[in-house]
């Protein structure tokens, strides 16, 4: 496809097909996304529709990354050859057109030489425009190629008639315009070459992702190491990965230890250490040790494949802001042809002469290419979503990106979003005069429990390199705590109610408990042989990067609200640590959606960030739902944006990227419409009667080529967002 009229024509044809519910055709990515009712239309019929409109459909094998890249390189190489040839020949033709330049041949002989020079430029270098024009006209539509072919043909064939049949236009002069036709094709080809290179850069993010998956994998089958295609790995295979190799599929380590570079997934440059049980993902790079892992997700089910699919879908989806450009493009080319003929007729009637009218006709056709309009939105979305993917942020579509850019309020679920989502030991206070380490005694009891708090206690003991001893007579006390004998001591661990019921003095506990409560910590009491031994302060730790992310969100002008089911004291303690002033506490899971509705009722554009099953309704209700990658499938499915690395700094990155992308789209559309609004009247000669200004066809071609290149180049600035 060459312009917005091309994509609009294909889209209209697809939508007319019975059974097609919706169709989005993207000019920049050259893809169509079609939703249709099963049984009413087949894929073969959809392909036939595209072909009948004058375009080709690439088969799956032809659309493979390496095949597509090779084809694009061949096309770019051919285009470069034609551009160089056209520049050389057109320069010679242009040089002969300057007044005062003497040539050692007659005027007629010179015109014949110019004809011989201009002909290969017109029909070899410019063949693509004739092919494109014929394909669309034969199917009842018109595109940019029609404008270029018509305009340059008018100049070329008029000059040819003057050259060989000079009496045919007797009285109109004997000037030829080979320089006009040749230079127009040259400038437009140059613009197409620069545009193609830029568009290649716009889709680099997806290309890089596609290249990450290794082609081979080393698996253990029948006790032997075998190297097979990565596509042939099946779930359950034991895969071996050595230092410097890429992980072929997703799975869990069964033996070995290593550091892995997961930056391609998370955007985080620091290596991640992983051992037995650690999850590994296809496309990540193994840096140091060797390990074996069991394959779990393979082929299209890997995390990387899912990301590529989501990014491709986002790049192919249209933003609402593009609808205006699409509507204009549908009628643009026919309207321009009408304007060109009107300008031609008006100048003839005004007595300006045939040559003057012809130049105005050509200039209008050439300057009015709708390329810039067609590329304004999709190129910005391609680069913006690609840049976001590199940072571990996946937008589900251009409409999501545009909607999120308008967000003014961010609602953060506390657990698992602001905090880590798991209890941690935050502080310890020893009571009594025993020499034993009360944490070691508590961990020895809790080692027999699977409660999250028990796991936090044993983890802390291991961090402190304490000895966890065997316990006797372990008894879980639901709602209270647990008891057991450790080293001959009767150890009781739990809440204040347990201590009171067992006749243990609670006064030593209560003073420290009050202080911990102000910090938002829950207190776990430990008693030894009926006497207080110590207090363990437990809390859901604040996630690394939360405070920094919230600070950046505020700097971006967003109102940040934290939502939690915790008590006011615990909620405000966490909010204080991360710099949030607006806290809504005591919210039960089934009320989260209602809270979002209440905020929206105040006229706010709300984005919700969450990770749990109970967040899914609220994520779906928010204007934009953002799920962290470690969240549940339900939360991720209900979201519009997915953060592969669960950090709030990524929410700030997503905000900046979406805003910059929307700003770029608006800039592109403004200049595309402004260019045509100013350029077409100038080309038609509207300023000539007042200021003597007439836009020559060659200048019109340069302006047209520049408009498309400038739009794509402006979009490419987002790669540094």
């Amino acid at each position: 496809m060459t312009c917005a009229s091309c994509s609009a024509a294909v889209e209209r044809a697809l939508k007319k097909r019975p059974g097609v519910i919706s169709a989005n055709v993207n000019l920049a990515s050259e893809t169509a996304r079609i939703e249709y009712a099963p049984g009413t239309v087949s894929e073969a019929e959809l392909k036939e529709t595209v072909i009948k409109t004058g375009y080709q459909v690439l088969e799956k094998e032809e659309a493979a990354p390496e095949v597509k890249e090779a084809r694009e390189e061949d096309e770019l190489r051919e285009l470069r050859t034609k551009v160089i040839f056209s520049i050389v020949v057109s320069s010679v033709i242009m040089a002969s057109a300057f007044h005062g330049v003497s040539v050692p041949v007659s005027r007629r002989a010179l015109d014949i030489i110019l004809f011989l020079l201009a002909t290969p430029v017109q029909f070899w270098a410019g063949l693509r425009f004739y092919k494109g024009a014929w394909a669309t006209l034969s199917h009842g539509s018109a595109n940019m190629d029609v404008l270029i072919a018509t305009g340059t043909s008018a100049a070329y064939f008029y000059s040819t008639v003057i050259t060989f049949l000079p009496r045919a236009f007797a009285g109109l002069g004997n000037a030829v315009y080979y320089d006009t036709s040749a230079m127009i094709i040259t400038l437009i080809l140059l613009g197409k070459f620069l545009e193609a290179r830029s568009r290649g850069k716009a889709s680099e993010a997806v290309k890089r992702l596609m290249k990450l998956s290794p082609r081979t994998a080393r698996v253990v089958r029948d006790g032997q190491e075998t190297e097979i295609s990565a596509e042939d790995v099946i779930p359950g295979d034991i895969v071996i990965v050595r230092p410097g190799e890429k992980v072929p599929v997703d799975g869990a380590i069964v033996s070995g230890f290593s550091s892995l570079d997961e930056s391609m997934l998370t955007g985080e440059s620091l290596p991640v250490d992983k051992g037995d049980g650690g999850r590994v993902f296809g496309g990540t790079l193994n840096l140091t040790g060797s390990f074996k892992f069991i394959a779990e997700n393979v082929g299209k089910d890997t995390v990387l494949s899912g990301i590529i699919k989501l990014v491709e879908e986002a790049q192919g989806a249209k933003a609402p802001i593009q609808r205006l450009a699409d509507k204009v493009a549908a009628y643009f080319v026919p309207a321009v042809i009408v304007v060109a003929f009107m300008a031609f007729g008006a100048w003839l009637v005004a007595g300006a002469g045939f040559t003057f009218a012809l130049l105005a006709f050509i200039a209008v056709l050439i300057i009015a290419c709708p390329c810039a309009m067609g590329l304004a939105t999709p190129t910005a979305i391609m680069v913006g979503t690609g840049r976001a993917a590199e940072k571990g942020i996946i937008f589900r579509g251009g409409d999501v990106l545009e909607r999120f850019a308008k967000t003014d309020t961010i609602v953060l679920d506390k657990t698992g979003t602001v905090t880590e989502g798991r209890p941690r030991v935050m502080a310890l206070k020893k009571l009594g005069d025993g020499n034993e380490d009360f944490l070691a005694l508590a961990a020895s009891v809790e080692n027999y429990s699977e409660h999250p708090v028990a796991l936090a206690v044993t983890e802390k003991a291991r961090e402190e390199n304490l000895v966890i001893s065997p316990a006797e007579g372990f008894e879980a006390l639901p709602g209270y705590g647990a008891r057991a004998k450790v080293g001959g001591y009767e150890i009781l661990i739990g809440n204040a109610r347990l201590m009171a019921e067992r006749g243990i003095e609670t006064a030593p506990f209560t003073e420290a408990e009050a202080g911990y409560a102000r910090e938002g910590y829950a207190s776990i009491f430990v008693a030894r042989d009926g006497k207080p031994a110590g207090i363990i302060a437990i809390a859901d730790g604040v996630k690394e990067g939360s405070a920094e992310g919230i600070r950046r969100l505020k700097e971006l002008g967003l109102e940040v609200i934290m939502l939690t089911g915790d008590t006011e004291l615990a909620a405000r303690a966490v909010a204080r640590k991360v710099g949030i002033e607006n806290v809504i506490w005591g919210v039960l899971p089934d009320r989260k959606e209602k809270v979002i509705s209440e905020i929206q009722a105040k006229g706010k554009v709300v984005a919700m960030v969450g990770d749990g099953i109970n967040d899914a309704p609220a994520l779906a209700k928010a204007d934009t739902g953002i799920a962290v990658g470690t969240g549940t499938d339900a939360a991720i499915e209900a979201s519009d944006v997915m953060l592969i690395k669960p950090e709030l700094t990524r929410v700030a990155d997503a905000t900046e990227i979406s805003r910059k992308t929307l700003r770029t789209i608006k800039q592109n559309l403004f200049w595309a419409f402004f260019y045509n609004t100013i350029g077409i009247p100038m080309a038609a000669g509207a300023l000539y009667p007042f200021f003597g200004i007439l836009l020559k066809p060659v200048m019109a071609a340069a302006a047209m080529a520049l408009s498309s290149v400038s739009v794509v180049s402006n979009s490419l600035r987002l790669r540094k967002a």
Side-chain angles (χ1 to χ4, degrees), residues 24 53 56 73 108 129 142 154-155 158 165 201 310 326 353 358 407 417 470 488 490 525 538 548 575 643 670 674 694:
N24 281 319
T53 313
Q56 296 298 314
E73 288 177 358
R108 180 172 173 75
F129 303 122
Y158 172 76
L165 299 170
K201 292 177 182 177
L310 287 172
D326 289 346
L358 179 65
T407 298
T417 303
E490 179 74 22
F525 303 150
I538 298 285
E548 170 66 12
L643 308 180
F670 170 79
F674 178 79
L694 180 68

Side-chain angles (χ1 to χ4, degrees), residues 347 356 360 363 678-696 699:
W347 285 116
F356 188 96
I678 299 298
I680 293 175
M682 285 181 63
L687 300 180
Y688 188 77
F690 308 102
F691 306 104
I693 298 174
L694 180 68
L695 193 66
K696 293 184 178 181
M699 294 303 296

Side-chain angles (χ1 to χ4, degrees), residues 14 17 19 45 115 253 305 391 424 631 681:
L14 287 168
R17 191 94 201 192
E45 289 172 321
F115 165 79
I253 295 177
S305 295
K391 290 194 170 190
R424 285 179 54 198

Side-chain angles (χ1 to χ4, degrees), residues 312-325:
E312 286 181 326
E313 288 178 356
Q315 292 185 340
K318 289 185 179 179
I321 198 171
Q322 192 175 344
R323 290 171 189 155
L324 176 62

Side-chain angles (χ1 to χ4, degrees), residues 331-390:
Y331 305 100
F332 191 79
V333 173
V336 166
I337 293 173
V338 171
V339 171
F341 276 107
M342 287 174 63
F344 178 78
W347 285 116
L348 277 182
V349 172
F354 181 83
T355 302
F356 188 96
L358 179 65
L359 292 178
F361 172 79
I362 296 169
V364 170
L365 291 178
I366 297 304
I367 200 168
C369 169
C371 284
M373 278 190 291
L375 293 169
T377 301
T379 51
I381 288 175
M382 282 182 71
V383 181
T385 52
R387 178 59 178 148
E390 289 175 349

Side-chain angles (χ1 to χ4, degrees), residues 179-228:
D179 56 330
T180 298
S181 63
M183 191 53 74
I184 286 172
I185 288 176
T186 299
L187 290 171
I188 294 173
L189 283 176
L190 177 60
K192 284 290 172 189
F193 174 72
L194 296 174
E195 179 191 314
R197 286 184 59 185
S198 299
R199 283 166 70 176
K201 292 177 182 177
S203 59
E204 275 182 1
V206 171
K207 289 178 183 175
R208 281 198 294 268
L209 286 172
M210 288 179 168
K211 290 178 181 177
L212 288 172
S213 294
R215 299 193 177 191
T216 60
R218 189 176 292 104
V219 300
V220 178
R221 288 182 177 174
D222 300 325
Q224 300 290 323
E225 285 189 25
T226 308
E227 190 169 286
I228 63 173

Side-chain angles (χ1 to χ4, degrees), residues 43-118:
E43 284 191 25
E45 289 172 321
L46 293 173
K47 291 178 182 179
E48 182 186 355
T49 301
V50 175
I51 293 169
K52 282 185 176 179
T53 313
Y55 301 90
Q56 296 298 314
V57 180
L58 296 181
E59 298 300 329
K60 184 178 179 181
E61 296 74 18
E62 296 175 293
E66 57 275 7
V67 177
K68 186 178 180 182
E69 189 170 347
R71 184 174 59 253
E72 289 173 351
E73 288 177 358
D74 289 342
E75 291 172 357
L76 205 59
R77 195 178 301 113
E78 180 186 350
L79 197 52
R80 184 189 295 112
T81 302
K82 290 185 176 181
V83 166
I84 294 171
F85 172 81
S86 299
I87 288 174
V88 173
V89 174
S90 298
S91 298
V92 174
I93 296 173
M94 287 290 290
S96 69
F98 285 111
H99 295 291
V101 177
S102 60
V103 289
V105 292
S106 66
R107 179 70 206 185
R108 180 172 173 75
L110 177 62
D111 287 350
I112 293 174
I113 293 171
L114 295 179
F115 165 79
L116 294 173
L117 289 171

